[in-house]
Amino acid sequence: MDDERQDSMLETTQESTDFETQCWRQRCDDLARVCEATAWSADPDLVYQRMTDVVTEILRCDQTHMHLITVNGDRFIKRAYHAENFACCMREEALPATTGRTQWMMKTHQPIVMDYEHPHCEDRIPAEALASGFKSAVSIPLLANGELVGMCSVVYTRKMDWSADGLAYLIEIGRVLGVAIKRMQVTKKATELQLLDERKRLSSEIHDNVSQLIGTLSLSAAAALASYDAGDDDAVRCDLERLEETGSKVMRILRDEMLSLRIPLERTDGLIMGMRECLRHFEANWNIPVDFQVRVSNDPLVVSLQTSLQLTRILNECLSNVLKHAEATSVRVAVEESARCLTMSVEDDGRGFDPQAVSPERLGLKIMHERTAAAGGTLTIISGAAGTTVCVDIPKATATGKKGPAA
């Protein structure tokens, strides 16, 4: 009899262990699905919605609402919702951070469990929620490195009793979501700053390139008018020809600038293709032959978007300098890949210059240095009577966005 009781206890223990293992595996699978739902997208709202849909499914709730906290921390703004078989309006709903027990959640970083039938004295239960038959809810704090970035509220038409283990599981879900949300916010901010830098750079280039040519147009027009008033037909014709030549040059420079902005950067294998198009356009418009050499291990060459952007813009700056200053008759461009670095070099046979003697007011070289630094590389300029060579070296790991071999 004792043996039978012992066997029964062993079977019960084994069943309990199996059940706990199954629950643990299920939670791991669910957390993995939450991580997959946070995959980066160009549209954060799509990611927020994907997160909300997955949370609804794994927690088997009837509604899910995701609110993100504002920068100054005084409000929560609704960014996504999932309402299974219930009407719900998606709007920029704002909840004061002082509503109900949200201040407590902001301080403790613990979930708020709500019983709609027996609410906490500080809870504000919406009348439409009671009319729809909802009985319980829980608001999960979304945390990133100890910082509250929002809350995800899940609502049920049944009463839910959450154990300490269950609440700990909700906190883990909130951390996964919070880290992903914070990463998207930081990425968005970095992108906005990069766009501001690009606007600043374009403003500088337009000032340095186009404004000078516009000034030349104005002077040529004034010279033509003076020649006309003097009755010198030959001088008028010469002035008009110079005016037409300068106008054509302005148009070509503007087309070059617009082309450089349209070089495809949405795919990381578009660098070489974009360079070829840029050089083809340069050669055709300015009648300066270009020798383009590519020595890489893989075709197509795959690099990070940052590397592609910066190298393309540095190339355009080099070509612009060839036109404005070098008086070159040929250009050689090379992209080479070694075990350690990705290197781009631009060489012309024009008249050289002293990089140390360039005025700080001239932004071209400064911009190239800034772009190289943004890509994590180094810029070298060698110039003399035989021409100028600009060389950009970017570490392989930085250029490709992958970890390189150990040193």
Side-chain angles (χ1 to χ4, degrees):
M1 197 68 180
D2 291 339
D3 291 342
E4 292 179 359
R5 184 180 298 110
Q6 185 176 6
D7 290 342
S8 177
M9 291 176 63
L10 288 174
E11 290 178 1
T12 302
T13 302
Q14 183 62 43
E15 289 176 357
S16 176
T17 302
D18 292 344
F19 178 74
E20 291 177 359
T21 301
Q22 183 179 359
C23 290
W24 179 81
R25 287 177 177 172
Q26 182 61 50
R27 287 187 176 182
C28 287
D29 290 342
D30 289 344
L31 286 174
R33 292 183 58 197
V34 173
C35 290
E36 291 172 357
T38 65
W40 187 88
S41 168
D43 185 356
D45 288 333
L46 293 179
V47 181
Y48 297 147
Q49 187 59 55
R50 192 185 307 134
M51 292 175 176
T52 305
D53 294 340
V54 170
V55 168
T56 303
E57 187 174 346
I58 66 175
L59 294 182
R60 299 177 178 83
C61 58
D62 300 288
Q63 278 194 5
T64 302
H65 303 263
M66 179 178 289
H67 290 78
L68 302 186
I69 197 166
T70 56
V71 175
N72 54 12
D74 63 341
R75 291 177 300 154
F76 288 92
I77 304 295
K78 182 185 287 187
R79 298 306 304 268
Y81 76 92
H82 184 111
E84 194 71 34
N85 300 321
F86 290 93
C88 183
C89 178
M90 177 59 192
R91 60 184 184 275
E92 287 293 312
E93 176 185 307
L95 300 176
T98 55
T99 299
R101 288 180 284 168
T102 52
Q103 277 193 325
W104 174 83
M105 182 181 69
M106 293 172 70
K107 292 179 180 179
T108 65
H109 294 172
Q110 295 297 312
I112 301 174
V113 178
M114 290 166 279
D115 181 348
Y116 283 11
E117 295 178 323
H118 306 90
H120 187 279
C121 61
E122 293 186 19
D123 287 342
R124 309 287 193 273
I125 310 300
E128 58 268 24
L130 295 174
S132 298
F134 294 117
K135 295 185 178 180
S136 64
V138 58
S139 291
I140 307 167
L142 306 180
L143 302 170
N145 195 27
E147 176 190 355
L148 184 73
V149 298
M151 64 179 177
C152 184
S153 299
V154 293
V155 189
Y156 296 86
T157 54
R158 61 190 184 279
K159 189 176 185 304
M160 295 290 292
D161 294 318
W162 293 93
S163 64
D165 182 58
L167 292 176
Y169 175 52
L170 295 182
I171 291 175
E172 289 302 314
I173 292 176
R175 285 175 177 168
V176 172
L177 295 174
V179 168
I181 290 169
K182 187 65 176 180
R183 184 180 69 242
M184 285 191 294
Q185 291 174 339
V186 170
T187 300
K188 181 181 178 183
K189 188 66 176 178
T191 301
E192 291 173 349
L193 290 174
Q194 186 175 350
L195 289 174
L196 287 175
D197 287 342
E198 190 68 7
R199 290 178 63 182
K200 179 181 177 182
R201 187 202 65 77
L202 286 174
S203 174
S204 299
E205 289 191 2
I206 289 172
H207 177 269
D208 287 348
N209 297 341
V210 180
S211 63
Q212 293 180 12
L213 292 174
I214 296 297
T216 302
L217 283 175
S218 178
L219 291 174
S220 298
L225 286 174
S227 299
Y228 175 78
D229 291 338
D232 189 342
D233 293 341
D234 292 337
V236 170
R237 181 176 182 83
C238 181
D239 292 332
L240 289 177
E241 288 176 349
R242 185 166 54 250
L243 186 64
E244 190 275 335
E245 180 183 354
T246 304
S248 298
K249 191 173 183 180
V250 171
M251 290 299 297
R252 284 184 288 173
I253 286 178
L254 287 176
R255 283 199 301 268
D256 285 346
E257 190 64 34
M258 287 186 287
L259 174 67
S260 69
L261 293 175
R262 296 181 62 183
I263 289 174
L265 292 173
E266 68 276 7
R267 295 172 57 217
T268 55
D269 61 355
L271 173 63
I272 300 301
M273 178 181 65
M275 284 185 168
R276 290 189 190 279
E277 177 63 18
C278 175
L279 295 174
R280 184 198 64 77
H281 190 79
F282 173 84
E283 192 173 30
N285 276 282
W286 303 105
N287 199 29
I288 298 177
V290 178
D291 178 24
F292 186 36
Q293 299 291 329
V294 179
R295 302 184 186 93
V296 296
S297 57
N298 295 312
D299 185 15
L301 174 67
V302 178
V303 297
S304 69
L305 291 178
Q306 178 73 277
T307 299
S308 185
L309 170 66
Q310 303 304 348
L311 286 182
T312 302
R313 298 306 292 163
I314 291 170
L315 173 61
N316 274 274
E317 181 67 28
C318 290
L319 296 177
S320 176
N321 288 335
V322 168
L323 289 176
K324 290 187 295 182
H325 309 298
E327 298 179 1
T329 59
S330 67
V331 176
R332 179 182 177 275
V333 179
V335 176
E336 301 175 275
E337 183 184 21
S338 68
R340 297 292 179 182
C341 288
L342 177 69
T343 301
M344 180 187 75
S345 60
V346 182
E347 180 181 354
D348 68 64
D349 62 354
R351 59 190 182 92
F353 69 103
D354 181 4
Q356 301 300 323
V358 175
S359 169
E361 296 179 358
R362 304 298 300 181
L363 298 178
L365 295 183
K366 180 181 178 182
I367 289 172
M368 285 199 291
H369 279 286
E370 290 175 349
R371 287 195 173 282
T372 303
T378 57
L379 178 74
T380 305
I381 300 177
I382 301 173
S383 188
T388 300
T389 299
V390 176
C391 186
V392 181
D393 293 297
I394 302 177
K396 189 75 169 291
T398 304
T400 61
K402 297 181 180 179
K403 186 175 181 181

